[in-house]
Amino acid sequence: MARHNMNMGNNVVDPLLDCNRSSVANVLKEARASLREPSRPFTPRDASRRLFNSSDFGTQRPPSAYGAPSTREFAQAAGLRGTLKPLPPLHATAKAAPIGPLAPIAAPERPPSAGAQRSSRSSGDRPPSSRGRPPAAAKAHAPSPWDAATATLRAAPAPEAASQVLDVDAERRDSAAQAAAPAVLEARGSDDPRLSAWREKVRTAVAALNKAADAGDEGGMLAHTETMGVLVDQGKRAGAASWLGWLASMLYADANEQSPSPACDEDAHGTCREGMQRALFRVVEAPRAELLLRACRCVLSLAGTPREAIVALKAVYKVSKEERHDIPMRRERLLQPLLQLVCDALPSEVPIEGMQEPMPAEALVYAAGALKNSTASDEGNQKALLKLGAVPSLCEALVERATLELRRQQQQAQKSKSSSSSSSSSSSNDGRSGGVAQVAVQVAALLRNLADASGGLRSFQGAPAAEALSAMVAAYPSYAELTLNTCRVLSRLSTDTMCRLAMEQCATLGPCLVASLKAHPGNAPLVARAAYVLGNLTMDCTHDERRRLGTEHGGAGVVSALVHRYSSALGIKQSSDESKSSSSATTPAASALTPGSPAGDALIKLLRVLANLSMDSDVGERIAKSSIIASDLLGIVENHSGALCSRGGSGGGGGGRNLLEEELALNAAAAITNLSYWHATPENALLGKHAASAPPLLLPLLLSSHDEAVLEAVRALGNCFRRAEARTAGIACRCDEALVLLLDHAHREVAYHVCGALVNLATDGKHASQLARYGASSRLGDLLVRAALAEPRPDAELACVAGKALYNAVALCDASEGVGASAEELGDVCRCLEDAEQHALSSMADALGKGDKRKFVGDFDDDGGSDEELALSEFLSLSKRLRELLLRRGAVIVDHDDEEEEEEEEEEEYEELPAPPPAP
């Protein structure tokens, strides 16, 4: 035993006990698999930007591919039958001069009322939506750069008359006007100067846009469509009732007045809404995306029926499918109205403000799909939606709609029980609610994009994301794509500490994930993500929560069945029941594990959940009884532990597969460790039927360059060595020799658990003698002294377990063969233990603020105390017994101080000798 290890100075930093180094859970410098930092499931990028990526909804879903929108489609949706004048070939020109400046519209005056004490809004504030969702609305009403355009608009010359167009349906126009009869009558009979000024600007803008369309002037159409958007925004600020009345008012006060540039003959007899729509519909066929988006924004604001909105939303979605249009989506101010539409219409089936009918799911699918596409890769769009409060608004909308659907399903279930017509009831529910699930698919994908945005997770910290997503999945459990998108969001959120804490407070999330695993066992990407979220949630939760999830909600059975299913799918051969005498006795079987394998990723995440759930006694003992699970775990270690033996995650030519195999073998070893801990269970398969199989299969992990793999293998062997069969198998495959060598490991956790394994292994006399031949006593004594004399405080826990291992190794070995250490080495341990006892007493007195150190010896077992105090007390008791044992075994205490004095005297005598004469 090296003497410098016995007398460590205060300035010497022991690498084994250095508290500033990273824990063993943090891999060193290489890219290696880790239990504390598991790999996230990889989500491939959808370059096609489709609405759906599965066939869950069959033919009932809206199409993702369709032709470019036409003027006829827009006109028919708005009730304008016939074909408007087509666009001539376009030519690029300079931006046309816009029309004259638009006077700001003042806020409507309210009649005095005794009960009206609310403060009026400013002229720039837009009234809240019908659903009263402030996050999105408040941000949307903030002044935008586009409002500055009103200050620079100048008058343009009156356009020339246009040629004739086809007739328009007058009856449809009249019926639309009758729907807003009160507002129309008020607007037509009102002398409101705001209406007159606004209508005059609308006439000029309509005429200017029609003239630019007649001339094929692309720049002019862009400028005048922008002016139309400004007019629409100003009209909306006048208030909901006034806005509807203004739209229903006649564009020209005199029916005989002719439009300077009509889109059709009905312009002189049409309303403001119809005049603006006709002008806008003519430009939608222009090939320039910015012009189409600008026109569609105005069309959405002017739409009075869902049919009109759907045509515009389909056009916007088609444009959003190309990545080059992401920036125009933001520049043309489409994000806010699309978000507002989804948040207002999704929670209920009540018509939103300005609509005569409820908005169908098809419209919301295209609106949310366009938002999803525009945020797939553009950070500017992501930040814009986050500033608009998209996350809390969407989550609240999902919660409200899911609650409504769940209540409806409960009512239908009760009704079906009483009427015994469950089949017809369920079929009708599927047809009606499938559309809402389609919207939820798009919203969940949109939330996933926002969660990946820079700073996006902060928006989720105060939003009910877990409640919203779990409720929606509970309402529609059969739709795999909805569950997959939901798990993608949750997997991202679970990586953030604050978001994960909020997720742990959601009582429905864990059961929902377990139910999803049970409902979609063959969907490997879904299983991988759901298991990843469960693994993060069960990593640091309480045992009660693990027990509820594993037993009450069936998580233990579901996860165990899936582990076996995916092990079989990968072709992993189960471990045989026969004992193996050496690690070379088995030849790993080839499996279907490849880089990026969905099944392999799912199995890794499932093993992590299995290991976490097994930390609870009830769940762990239940799973430990399964011989199938034990065979699967040992088979995984047997087939894939080789990846952990190569240096570096990308070494050995394995590349990504090596890293995947590392994580697979590592999680399997962790599961073996946790399951083998429950030795009190007589039916524990790892400690019974497979007790002799485990040590030789775990030996490659002991020799690994991966520190976490070494730690898990040591812990698993320590548990297995409580059975005689496992101890015999461990000695046969030379696990004992590997453990002795690992006593010098640089990481404290590894050394600590190695001592624990040696405590169990040395309980047999023949095994203790074998350990003595490998020099275990000398290494254990060295480790014991280093831990006991550590500064500034002793590592009592490590000193205790090292002392117990040394006690067993010395007490139970064959005296005739020796204890594996010389008498002087044992004497050094005894002398250092005396110093360590004084060091421990000083640490105890300093911790408790007591002066008399003697009164603390042996008191903590009865009176209680902290873990450190209990460990110090245990060490003091163990140290005394160990010194007595070593002295009985022939320890010789040598006074090293006398030796040092003799060496110093010899050096002084050497210095006094005369120098030799110089050479001739």
Side-chain angles (χ1 to χ4, degrees):
M1 187 178 301
R3 207 152 118 210
H4 66 273
N5 287 338
M6 295 290 99
N7 301 280
M8 294 188 300
N10 293 340
N11 297 326
V12 179
V13 178
D14 188 351
L16 177 67
L17 305 173
D18 183 9
C19 299
N20 294 324
R21 69 166 55 247
S22 58
S23 65
V24 72
N26 298 323
V27 292
L28 296 178
K29 295 180 181 179
E30 304 163 351
R32 308 297 299 266
S34 173
L35 291 175
R36 299 295 300 183
E37 298 179 2
S39 62
R40 281 179 54 199
F42 172 72
T43 301
R45 184 178 180 184
D46 183 15
S48 62
R49 297 193 174 188
R50 296 170 292 181
L51 282 174
F52 304 97
N53 295 301
S54 68
S55 57
D56 288 347
F57 303 99
T59 59
Q60 302 298 323
R61 64 184 186 181
S64 298
Y66 43 81
S70 64
T71 298
R72 178 182 293 273
E73 293 179 25
F74 278 88
Q76 289 178 349
L80 306 177
R81 295 184 180 177
T83 305
L84 297 176
K85 186 188 299 184
L87 282 178
L90 303 183
H91 56 88
T93 62
K95 186 174 180 180
I99 62 176
L102 298 174
I105 299 176
E109 297 181 359
R110 296 177 180 174
S113 172
Q117 300 295 332
R118 296 175 298 175
S119 60
S120 60
R121 298 185 182 90
S122 63
S123 60
D125 290 339
R126 178 182 174 183
S129 65
S130 59
R131 297 298 307 169
R133 202 169 304 282
K139 292 288 185 179
H141 308 329
S144 69
W146 292 92
D147 295 333
T150 60
T152 60
L153 298 179
R154 297 184 300 273
E160 300 177 356
S163 58
Q164 62 178 5
V165 293
L166 296 181
D167 191 12
V168 183
D169 185 13
E171 295 182 0
R172 184 64 177 268
R173 179 198 65 210
D174 294 337
S175 62
Q178 291 176 4
V184 172
L185 294 177
E186 180 182 356
R188 289 179 177 175
S190 174
D191 295 331
D192 188 354
R194 300 175 304 151
L195 171 58
S196 300
W198 180 80
R199 184 164 51 193
E200 180 63 29
K201 297 303 178 183
V202 169
R203 292 174 187 168
T204 308
V206 168
L209 183 55
N210 282 327
K211 179 183 178 181
D214 292 339
D217 183 359
E218 190 177 65
M221 287 188 291
L222 276 170
H224 298 308
T225 305
E226 174 185 336
T227 303
M228 199 81 76
V230 174
L231 288 169
V232 169
D233 291 341
Q234 286 192 341
K236 281 186 166 184
R237 295 193 188 103
S242 299
W243 170 240
L244 293 177
W246 290 9
L247 290 178
S249 65
M250 300 302 294
L251 181 60
Y252 297 97
D254 187 357
N256 297 324
E257 186 178 354
Q258 295 294 327
S259 171
S261 181
C264 68
D265 294 338
E266 293 292 330
D267 268 0
H269 308 282
T271 63
C272 291
R273 184 200 300 266
E274 293 172 345
M276 299 172 76
Q277 286 178 331
R278 291 191 187 97
L280 291 168
F281 292 167
R282 295 187 62 194
V283 305
V284 295
E285 292 184 352
R288 189 164 177 174
E290 289 85 349
L291 183 55
L292 174 61
L293 293 175
R294 193 171 297 182
C296 286
R297 178 180 177 274
C298 297
V299 171
L300 286 174
S301 299
L302 296 172
T305 62
R307 185 182 177 190
E308 301 174 42
I310 288 176
V311 178
L313 291 170
K314 290 179 67 175
V316 172
Y317 172 77
K318 185 174 181 62
V319 172
S320 71
K321 294 184 68 175
E322 299 185 37
E323 185 176 350
R324 60 191 178 96
H325 296 149
D326 289 346
I327 295 178
M329 285 282 293
R330 181 173 70 256
R331 287 179 177 174
E332 301 304 329
R333 298 174 293 169
L334 261 300
L335 300 180
Q336 189 274 334
L338 293 177
L339 175 63
Q340 191 73 50
L341 175 63
V342 175
C343 293
D344 287 350
L346 177 59
S348 68
E349 298 176 352
V350 179
I352 62 175
E353 182 182 88
M355 286 290 172
Q356 304 172 10
E357 304 169 5
M359 190 65 69
E362 180 183 6
L364 303 184
V365 167
Y366 285 119
L371 291 174
K372 174 192 70 174
N373 290 345
S374 62
T375 56
S377 58
D378 189 86
E379 295 182 3
N381 289 344
Q382 294 171 351
K383 293 179 179 179
L385 284 177
L386 291 174
K387 290 181 179 179
L388 289 170
V391 172
S393 298
L394 291 172
C395 290
E396 291 171 8
L398 288 176
V399 168
E400 293 183 31
R401 189 56 190 234
T403 303
L404 177 64
E405 293 298 325
L406 289 172
R407 187 182 302 116
R408 175 182 295 168
Q409 292 175 12
Q410 292 175 358
Q411 293 173 355
Q412 289 181 350
Q414 295 175 357
K415 207 177 282 186
S416 64
K417 281 185 179 180
S418 59
S419 61
S420 301
S421 57
S422 59
S423 59
S424 61
S425 174
S426 61
S427 61
S428 62
N429 178 64
D430 290 341
R432 181 171 61 253
S433 63
V436 180
Q438 295 171 14
V439 181
V441 169
Q442 308 304 316
V443 174
L446 170 59
L447 291 174
R448 175 63 175 81
N449 294 341
L450 297 180
D452 261 350
S454 176
L457 291 177
R458 288 194 297 269
S459 298
F460 283 88
Q461 292 174 2
E467 291 80 2
L469 296 171
S470 60
M472 193 57 72
V473 171
Y476 307 106
S478 61
Y479 297 121
E481 188 169 3
L482 172 59
T483 307
L484 176 60
N485 287 351
T486 295
C487 291
R488 283 173 174 168
V489 182
L490 295 173
S491 63
R492 182 68 181 95
L493 298 183
S494 64
T495 61
D496 180 77
T497 302
M498 297 302 298
C499 292
R500 186 170 62 250
L501 291 176
M503 292 168 63
E504 292 174 356
Q505 301 302 318
C506 180
T508 59
L509 181 57
C512 175
L513 293 172
V514 172
S516 299
L517 290 176
K518 187 176 181 180
H520 309 282
N523 192 325
L526 187 154
V527 170
R529 286 155 180 81
Y532 178 80
V533 179
L534 279 174
N536 289 342
L537 294 179
T538 56
M539 180 174 57
D540 297 319
C541 67
T542 64
H543 290 308
D544 291 338
E545 293 170 346
R546 295 189 183 100
R547 184 178 300 111
R548 282 194 297 269
L549 193 62
T551 58
E552 297 178 12
H553 301 293
V558 172
V559 174
S560 299
L562 288 175
V563 166
H564 179 65
R565 174 175 182 152
Y566 281 94
S567 297
S568 302
L570 290 171
I572 298 176
K573 183 180 178 182
Q574 288 188 335
S575 175
S576 62
D577 300 335
E578 298 179 359
S579 174
K580 301 172 178 60
S581 59
S582 67
S583 59
S584 61
T586 61
T587 303
S591 69
L593 189 65
T594 57
S597 168
D601 200 19
L603 181 57
I604 289 171
K605 306 305 183 284
L606 289 168
L607 289 173
R608 182 166 175 250
V609 179
L610 186 75
N612 290 348
L613 291 178
S614 299
M615 286 190 282
D616 174 70
S617 58
D618 293 347
V619 181
E621 291 175 358
R622 178 179 178 180
I623 299 176
K625 296 178 181 179
S626 174
S627 178
I628 296 178
I629 291 297
S631 298
D632 288 333
L633 295 177
L634 293 174
I636 292 171
V637 172
E638 179 181 4
N639 285 272
H640 299 288
S641 60
L644 289 164
C645 297
S646 61
R647 187 65 181 174
S650 59
R657 171 169 178 169
N658 262 21
L659 197 58
L660 192 65
E661 287 184 304
E662 276 190 5
E663 194 171 6
L664 183 60
L666 195 57
N667 281 276
I672 292 174
T673 298
N674 293 352
L675 291 175
S676 61
Y677 177 80
W678 308 110
H679 63 95
T681 304
E683 300 87 357
N684 192 317
L686 286 170
L687 301 181
K689 183 178 181 180
H690 299 277
S693 303
L697 296 179
L698 292 171
L699 178 60
L701 301 184
L702 286 180
L703 307 178
S704 169
S705 60
H706 195 296
D707 295 326
E708 282 191 84
V710 174
L711 175 63
E712 292 303 324
V714 169
R715 293 175 61 200
L717 285 174
N719 294 337
C720 293
F721 283 164
R722 287 176 292 187
R723 299 294 175 91
E725 301 90 337
R727 293 194 292 269
T728 302
I731 293 293
C733 66
R734 302 176 67 183
C735 282
D736 53 345
E737 183 177 358
L739 290 173
V740 172
L741 294 175
L742 288 174
L743 287 171
D744 295 330
H745 201 278
H747 287 284
R748 182 240 183 226
E749 294 174 67
V750 174
Y752 176 86
H753 288 285
V754 166
C755 292
L758 293 178
V759 169
N760 293 339
L761 188 60
T763 52
D764 290 342
K766 56 181 179 180
H767 301 329
S769 300
Q770 184 73 15
L771 293 175
R773 286 192 288 271
Y774 294 140
S777 300
S778 177
R779 294 175 183 267
L780 285 171
D782 184 18
L783 178 61
L784 167 62
V785 172
R786 294 167 63 190
L789 294 177
E791 294 291 347
R793 303 176 67 84
D795 188 343
E797 292 183 350
L798 179 58
C800 282
V801 69
K804 292 177 182 178
L806 178 60
Y807 191 97
N808 286 357
V810 173
L812 301 179
C813 68
D814 189 351
S816 60
E817 298 182 3
V819 297
S822 65
E824 290 78 8
E825 289 177 332
L826 296 180
D828 285 343
V829 173
C830 291
R831 182 177 57 82
C832 290
L833 284 177
E834 293 179 355
D835 297 338
E837 291 175 8
Q838 298 299 318
H839 185 41
L841 288 172
S842 299
S843 299
M844 293 170 63
D846 294 341
L848 297 178
K850 304 290 184 178
D852 188 359
K853 297 179 286 187
R854 293 173 295 177
K855 63 185 297 183
F856 300 113
V857 179
D859 289 346
F860 291 97
D861 293 336
D862 299 329
D863 299 340
S866 66
D867 293 340
E868 181 183 7
E869 293 162 355
L870 293 174
L872 287 171
S873 178
E874 183 181 5
F875 168 73
L876 291 173
S877 176
L878 174 64
S879 176
K880 181 179 179 181
R881 296 172 55 195
L882 182 58
R883 283 192 291 109
E884 295 174 354
L885 173 65
L886 296 180
L887 291 174
R888 291 199 305 268
R889 285 290 189 169
V892 176
I893 301 177
V894 178
D895 191 351
H896 295 287
D897 294 336
D898 295 341
E899 295 182 358
E900 293 177 357
E901 292 177 359
E902 293 176 0
E903 293 176 357
E904 292 176 358
E905 292 177 358
E906 292 177 358
E907 292 175 358
E908 292 176 357
E909 293 176 358
Y910 175 80
E911 293 175 356
E912 293 175 355
L913 294 177

